[in-house]
Amino acid sequence: MRVEGLRKKAGGRQILRGISFEVPSGATLGIIGASGSGKTTLLRCLNGLERIDDGFIECGEVRLEAGLSEEEYRRRAKLLRRRVGLVFQHLHLFPHLTVMENIVEAPIHVLGMKREEAERAARELLEEVELQGLADRYPESLSGGEQQRVAIVRALIMRPNVLLFDEPTSALDPRRSASVRALLRRFVAQGHTMIIVSHAIRFLEDLADQLLYMESGEVIEYDRATELLQDPKDSRTRDFLRQAI
Amino acid sequence: MSGELSGRRALVLFLCIAFSVAGCAQEERVLRWGADPSGGAPYVFTDPAHPDRYIGYEKEMVEALAARMGRRAVMVATDWEGIVPALERGEFDIIVNGLEPTADRAARILFSKPYYVFQLQLTVRRDERVINSLEDCRNRLVGTLGNTAASRLLAQKGIRFRSYAEPGTAYRDLELGRVDAVLMDVPMEIYYARGNPRLRPAGPPFYRGVYVIGLRKGDEALKAEVDAAIEAIMRDGTLERILRKWDLWDDAQAELQAAVKRGEEPRYEMTAATFNWTDALARLARAALITVLLAFGAMFIALSLGLSLAVGQSKGPSWLQAVCTVYIEFFRGTPVLVQLLFLYFGLPQIGIALPGWLTALVGLGLNYAAYESQVYRAAFEAVPRGQWEAAYSLGMGPALAFRRIILPQAFRIALPPVTNDFVSLFKDTSVAYAISVWELATAYRELANATGEFLLLGAIVSAFYLAMSLPLAHIARRLERRQQRRQALQALVVEAAT
């Protein structure tokens, strides 16, 4: 996934001021920054939920760029979403559907998968995240950690090229947070391409290959993870890291 | 000096005027008579040429009677079906409205001498092939006025009939095929059907009954006065002149008047309402069934049309939004009664003649659709935006997201208010009375008017309504409580997540 010169204005405020980065296939990018730095807006742009004002997002042969007609933008955003899955910070599970139905809804109705096939795939994934017993439960009866794993499976079953996570640990206690990290590390090992937004640097420490530090909608520093953590070039990055750790 | 005199003169003059006015008021006695002028031709009805006054042969007759009695006739417009209770309440002194003496009425009020002999006439459409007499009407539907000799005769013969409040409506429904025949007193048939090229009489007039004047029990003195006046206007030919003028004179009248003139007490048979409780309860149960049918049918229309309206109003192109808004404001801003009358009487003018029950079902459905659309709209807005985004993010388009994700959740949110609306729709089915649909409210009015059992039948009808609406209200409350619990739980989850 390649992003070039991304700008986004909302409510009269410049939220993103020219963001660029490139995540090679199989790599993991961690985006860090304080609240209000534009991290979440950036993720929403990458999933086509927000219209960008300048620059482009490229994923495979899909290219979402500023200046397209409304209709064309929507068409390409839809194509982009087929390649890019998003796990929301607040998960947004469908409360009227069971865990299984939450997961197979899109494969069946968007990809046209057969129900048995979709359910088989869902069961495999649920087993992988250790939720096999909860397929028939409703989201409201699950714990926060279980809900999150359902949301991950729901995104994963669409076989996206890139998986986006918005603050995956914000709802979890340290123990649960560690188990999510273990899960994401497994994904790294399996070769998934991921972009993870977080303000918890520890969480990203040996998960992300690259780190991108944002402040007020700008990229302050973008480097290999080890470089950025051990030898930050910019004083603002240093300040942030000092406060965060 | 002269000024003082003129002042005294003025005072005397003033006192004279004052006393004479008071004297007049005491002197002039009035005869307040009650009648239903709506669709009341030729008895008493609004003069088409002068809509501010009433005309009719009975009006002329009452004026002649009042003149004989040294009184001034004052008409009190009332409702035919409630005319006896209105007399009992003292809203007027006598009923002059083509009133037939019946056994049940005799138990409550006094009757004068008869003043007119009426017959019944069966009317059919001009192209009718099967019906030539009342006997041919078995298994057909006959229209008539409620609580009349005609309706009692039909009930007695076990012929299915529909009661109307006005003769004009009954004949119009006959033309439109909503009933198969109409049975009515000859005077009404002359006025409302005789000149209509699409209708024809089926067989000759039959049956003989009389019209009398009704008085309160205990008003024997007034009854004597009225009887004397009736005899007088028969003897001097005034009544004959009036009846001839209205084309109502026939041999039957001649016989009646001849007997009176000979000093004989005219004899007449008194019909009795064939009323028994088993029959009444069966009719009430049928009315309850129709009420349920109306409520469910109307709600089905309201829910499906309301959904389209809600979607059209919030998501459609601007012209569709405008159309939906106009629809919603129109149906919410005008009374459902007026809408029903419009559908029932207005639509046939452009060639759409629906039967009464279907009109009520569609009319209530169209009306409630406007309300349900707003319930849906509120429910759509109550589904969090994140649900749309989650659906989009999984690659769904707006239509799929709406159908699979938003609609089911909105429906759950809408369920308690929709159930509440259903309870009120249930009660609103009673407006179908206005278009003669035999539902519970109509059944109550007709049975109660025929028997005078307003209290007992009222209690039974209320019990029917409650038996149906209480469980619904209970379900609505339970759904509401469940909803509140669910919302509280969700709030807790979101709180924990932030």
Side-chain angles (χ1 to χ4, degrees), chain B residues 17-80:
Chain B
I17 293 168
F19 275 114
S20 65
V21 166
C24 278
Q26 250 176 11
E27 196 73 11
E28 191 194 58
R29 297 191 304 160
V30 296
L31 181 64
R32 289 180 306 145
W33 61 290
D36 182 357
S38 63
Y43 305 81
V44 56
F45 58 107
T46 305
D47 185 350
H50 303 276
D52 56 330
R53 67 176 197 213
Y54 295 124
I55 54 173
Y57 85 88
E58 293 200 335
K59 180 169 191 287
E60 291 178 19
M61 182 187 81
V62 175
E63 275 159 5
L65 290 175
R68 281 277 164 184
M69 294 160 71
R71 293 173 182 246
R72 185 167 61 87
V74 175
M75 193 193 119
V76 179
T78 185
D79 198 44
W80 165 248

Side-chain angles (χ1 to χ4, degrees), chain B residues 426-468:
Chain B
F426 206 79
K427 292 175 291 181
D428 273 357
T429 53
S430 58
V431 297
Y433 163 76
I435 54 173
S436 304
V437 177
W438 184 267
E439 45 67 60
L440 270 178
T442 315
Y444 174 50
R445 272 189 70 131
E446 289 198 7
L447 291 174
N449 275 314
T451 58
E453 298 278 4
F454 283 89
L455 276 178
L456 190 54
L457 282 167
I460 294 173
V461 166
S462 303
F464 267 114
Y465 273 119
L466 285 174
M468 297 183 280

Side-chain angles (χ1 to χ4, degrees), chain B residues 309-375:
Chain B
L309 284 169
V311 174
Q313 200 188 20
S314 48
K315 295 257 179 277
S318 58
W319 66 266
L320 186 62
Q321 289 187 8
V323 168
C324 292
T325 305
V326 167
Y327 178 97
I328 290 161
E329 294 312 325
F330 175 80
F331 277 93
R332 288 201 305 178
T334 57
V336 64
L337 180 63
V338 173
Q339 292 161 17
L340 277 196
L341 292 174
F342 170 79
L343 289 178
Y344 195 66
F345 298 118
L347 283 190
Q349 291 183 352
I350 55 168
I352 306 168
L354 301 175
W357 66 271
L358 193 56
T359 308
L361 194 152
V362 170
L364 284 166
L366 293 179
N367 180 269
Y368 267 76
Y371 291 94
E372 296 321 302
S373 73
Q374 299 310 295
V375 171

Side-chain angles (χ1 to χ4, degrees), chain A residues 143-186:
Chain A
S143 73
E146 290 164 338
Q147 291 193 7
Q148 184 169 47
R149 278 178 281 162
V150 174
I152 292 171
V153 170
R154 185 176 70 172
L156 214 52
I157 198 168
M158 297 299 281
R159 305 199 176 285
N161 303 54
V162 183
L163 198 50
L164 311 177
F165 288 88
D166 191 4
E167 300 283 5
T169 58
S170 66
L172 306 176
D173 59 42
R175 200 168 53 106
R176 294 255 159 69
S177 165
S179 97
V180 171
R181 200 165 73 158
L183 178 65
L184 294 189
R185 290 195 59 154
R186 270 214 312 278

Side-chain angles (χ1 to χ4, degrees), chain B residues 471-488:
Chain B
L472 280 172
H474 178 71
I475 291 171
R477 266 199 306 280
R478 266 182 45 182
L479 288 171
E480 250 160 26
R481 272 206 295 275
R482 210 167 71 183
Q483 189 95 35
Q484 278 159 5
R485 266 209 307 278
R486 189 185 291 264
Q487 271 163 2

